[in-house]
């Protein structure tokens, strides 16, 4: 599977409380643009209004395929660094309108926002091909 292209990205806070509103689970959302500059390599960007991370990483074949990349950017004069580990979701044999999907986890690698966003925080993400 080629991962090159544009994906809608969303990440969610890992909160097991089923009474929490869905809106309270939002961690991030943006446009994920993936490129494959060489076999096994992942590049691209992830961003939205006022922020953008440059991506560098790798993809390995398998069932499911594994993607691992790091996103880096300068936002409001601070360095943001996040690491991502994702898996492509296999297609159901009798699926109707199934969209290519990547699911995974993200970790904040470097503290930012004047210490209000600490390193080590994790969330779950998914991305669907546009």
């Amino acid at each position: 599977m080629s991962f090159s292209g544009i994906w809608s990205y969303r990440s969610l806070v890992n909160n097991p409380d089923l009474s929490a509103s869905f809106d309270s689970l939002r961690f991030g959302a943006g446009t994920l643009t993936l490129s494959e500059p060489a076999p096994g390599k992942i590049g691209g960007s992830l961003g939205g209004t006022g922020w953008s991370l440059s991506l560098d990483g790798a993809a390995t074949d398998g069932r499911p395929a594994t993607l691992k990349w790091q996103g880096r950017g300068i936002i409001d004069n601070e360095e943001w660094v996040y690491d991502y580990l994702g898996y492509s979701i296999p297609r159901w044999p009798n699926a109707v309108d199934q969209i290519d999907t990547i699911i995974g986890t993200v970790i904040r690698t470097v503290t930012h926002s004047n210490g209000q966003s600490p390193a080590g925080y994790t969330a779950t993400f998914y991305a669907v091909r546009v």
Side-chain angles (χ1 to χ4, degrees):
M1 173 179 170
S2 171
F3 297 104
S4 294
I6 299 173
W7 303 73
S8 292
Y9 169 94
R10 292 176 179 89
S11 54
L12 303 168
V13 171
N14 294 324
N15 180 352
D17 181 359
L18 289 174
S19 68
S21 73
F22 197 76
D23 286 344
S24 74
L25 301 178
R26 181 186 173 127
F27 184 68
T31 299
L32 174 63
T33 303
L34 293 178
S35 63
E36 295 173 79
K41 298 291 184 184
I42 293 290
S45 64
L46 172 61
T49 304
W51 67 280
S52 181
L53 303 176
S54 295
L55 309 180
D56 183 45
T60 57
D61 288 334
R63 190 152 174 85
T66 302
L67 295 94
K68 188 172 184 180
W69 70 81
Q70 184 172 79
R72 294 177 160 272
I74 302 296
I75 294 98
D76 294 330
N77 297 315
E78 286 188 292
E79 182 179 40
W80 286 23
V81 181
Y82 288 81
D83 284 282
Y84 302 80
L85 176 62
Y87 303 94
S88 66
I89 299 303
R91 291 195 164 267
W92 288 99
N94 298 316
V96 176
D97 298 329
Q98 183 175 357
I99 298 174
D100 290 340
T101 304
I102 302 167
I103 62 167
T105 185
V106 54
I107 186 168
R108 184 181 297 125
T109 309
V110 174
T111 298
H112 64 76
S113 299
N114 297 313
Q116 294 179 352
S117 297
Y121 190 84
T122 62
T124 299
F125 80 83
Y126 72 100
V128 294
R129 192 182 296 273
V130 175

